Structure formats: C-alpha cells, structure tokens
C-alpha cells in the first residue's frame, strides 16, 4: 500500500527554519495542510487556483506571506508531496 505524506517547510532567508511531515489521508492534501498548520501554530493559508494547479502539476505549492490572514514571520511556506512507493532506478551506468 502506498503511503503519502505532506512535507511542510517554513523558509526564512532561503533556509528551512522549521519543517514537519504529516500523513495525507484519502488524498486530501488540504486536510493535511490544516493539520500541519495547527501543529506549527500557524493560520491556514488561502488556497487559490494557482496553488491547486501547482499541486496537480508538480506535487508542490508555495505560499507567500500575503496568502495568510494572520501575521506570518517567514519568507514563504512550501508544501511538497512525498510518496513511499519504490521508484525504479534509471538505466544510467553510474547507478550500477
């Protein structure tokens, strides 16, 4: 069974200030985002169409301070989907 997790990174001055992994249940990444924000003591950012599109295309989304209703003390928040499925190695001879 494939397990999916959401990696939430709080970025300040191009460095990860805080990060957290949260389990995604039933493919609901927005629910996992809400849970992560609760654990990090942040307000949940506004998810707009560009965030949804980035998530669908790249399994990644970035939230800027303007996406939060409350004060946000970081430069941005990045979320990334991580899957536990095994990926086959490429045929590159350096992987041998």
């Amino acid at each position: 069974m494939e397990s999916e997790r959401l990696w939430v990174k709080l970025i300040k001055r191009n460095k990860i200030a805080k990060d957290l992994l949260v389990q995604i249940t039933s493919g609901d990444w927005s629910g996992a985002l809400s849970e992560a924000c609760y654990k990090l003591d942040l307000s949940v950012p506004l998810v707009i169409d560009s965030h949804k599109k980035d998530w669908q295309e790249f399994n990644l989304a970035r939230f800027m301070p303007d996406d939060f209703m409350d004060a946000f003390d970081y430069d941005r928040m990045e979320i990334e989907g991580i899957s536990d499925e095994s990926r086959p190695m490429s045929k590159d001879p350096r992987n041998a």
Side-chain angles (χ1 to χ4, degrees), residues 36-79:
C37 288
Y38 177 77
K39 289 181 178 181
L40 292 168
D41 196 26
L42 296 171
S43 64
V44 179
L46 298 174
V47 179
I48 57 176
D49 290 339
S50 63
H51 296 131
K52 293 176 186 177
K53 182 181 175 191
D54 288 344
W55 181 260
Q56 289 173 348
E57 288 185 28
F58 308 110
N59 217 22
L60 175 82
R62 288 186 176 147
F63 298 91
M64 305 309 278
D66 291 342
D67 294 320
F68 292 85
M69 296 298 284
D70 294 334
F72 185 71
D73 296 330
Y74 302 94
D75 297 332
R76 67 182 180 274
M77 178 171 76
E78 295 181 359
I79 62 170

Side-chain angles (χ1 to χ4, degrees), residues 4-30:
E4 285 187 286
R5 292 176 286 167
L6 185 71
W7 184 19
V8 179
K9 299 174 270 186
L10 300 176
I11 311 292
K12 182 123 181 169
R13 296 187 190 120
N14 293 320
K15 294 183 181 181
I16 297 175
K18 289 184 183 180
D19 69 330
L20 178 69
L21 278 173
V22 179
Q23 192 72 32
I24 298 175
T25 55
S26 305
D28 179 25
W29 66 271
S30 59

